[in-house]
Every structure is written in C-alpha cells, then in structure tokens.
Amino acid sequence: MDMSKVHVWVGINNSDDETFESYFELDYDDPDIDDPFYKVCQFCLDINEKWYDEDCIGVYKEDSMVNVRVLLEELSVSQDTMEEIQNICIKKGLENVNAMFYYMDPEIEVTDKNKLYNELHYIGKFDTNL
C-alpha cells in the first residue's frame, strides 16, 4: 500500500476508551465485506470505505490534556510538515488535546472537512517521510 500521504484528525474526545476505540472496530465475524449484512465500522463509513488497513492507522487517546505537539510526534512527517499541522491545530483552537488518529492512504478523500470524526477535527492530508 502506498503510504505517501497521511490524514490527521485531532481534538478532544470525552467518551470512555472503549467507546472511543469502538469507532475503529472491524467486523471479523463476517469475512465477506460485500455481504449486505457486513457491519461496517463508523470510521469506514466516515471515509466512504467498507474496510481499512489496520497497519496504516494510528490511534491515540490520553487520560488528560496534552499539548498537541506531544501527539503529533507520533506522525512520520518532516519537521516542516509537523509545524504546519501544529499551526493548523492551534488556529482551530486545538493547542491542548487528548486524542488523535491518523490514516496513511493517499487514495481516500475526506469529503466533509468540517464534520467531527469520533469527536475529532479533520486537520488535513499531508506528505509522509515513508
């Protein structure tokens, strides 16, 4: 899979860890994703996919608020890109947060950039160092 781009979501999630993580839960009980009864996870619905590659996602939720830079350090991006992402977060009022997730896939398109995804803001799609 091409991992040249990373989509980033950041913000404050007030749900418990189990609820936060259930957003990403894939259905392994039904191996046929084309089955009309296949349970598509909410993350997949939000990115208009039936399935996602778990090797391409990073999910982080802290017990307390941290500076956004702490979570952004988990991204495989250049220092310049890191600063660009951090500046976007700060402009959105997201200097202190408790959650972030990212997904590396240049082909998906996040169509609703103003929607909250698992209570987090979509920050954008960026080049990776991979």
Side-chain angles (χ1 to χ4, degrees):
M1 173 172 263
D2 180 358
M3 295 189 198
S4 63
K5 301 283 184 188
V6 63
H7 296 266
V8 181
W9 293 261
V10 174
I12 299 169
N13 182 286
N14 293 308
S15 62
D16 60 55
D17 291 347
E18 186 177 323
T19 303
F20 179 75
E21 291 171 12
S22 69
Y23 177 80
F24 305 98
E25 248 174 54
L26 293 171
D27 181 8
Y28 289 107
D29 293 333
D30 186 355
D32 181 8
I33 63 173
D34 292 322
D35 181 334
F37 297 106
Y38 176 77
K39 183 182 170 218
V40 179
C41 75
Q42 187 60 49
F43 173 64
C44 295
L45 290 172
D46 283 345
I47 62 170
N48 297 312
E49 298 289 329
K50 290 184 176 182
W51 178 87
Y52 72 90
D53 186 338
E54 290 181 298
D55 292 334
C56 297
I57 196 167
V59 178
Y60 302 90
K61 185 162 186 280
E62 300 292 325
D63 292 330
S64 60
M65 302 295 260
V66 296
N67 185 283
V68 69
R69 184 66 180 221
V70 171
L71 294 178
L72 296 180
E73 292 290 335
E74 299 296 332
L75 300 173
S76 293
V77 297
S78 71
Q79 209 49 34
D80 287 343
T81 301
M82 176 92 57
E83 288 175 20
E84 176 187 358
I85 297 169
Q86 183 176 2
N87 289 336
I88 292 169
C89 290
I90 290 169
K91 283 180 186 171
K92 289 181 174 273
L94 302 169
E95 191 165 354
N96 293 301
V97 299
N98 74 342
M100 175 186 82
F101 65 90
Y102 66 81
Y103 189 59
M104 291 183 285
D105 185 341
E107 295 177 17
I108 68 164
E109 288 299 323
V110 176
T111 55
D112 190 348
K113 293 173 176 45
N114 296 314
K115 171 184 171 176
L116 291 180
Y117 296 81
N118 204 12
E119 298 183 36
L120 307 186
H121 299 264
Y122 179 69
I123 305 304
K125 179 168 71 171
F126 306 91
D127 292 329
T128 66
N129 285 342
L130 302 177

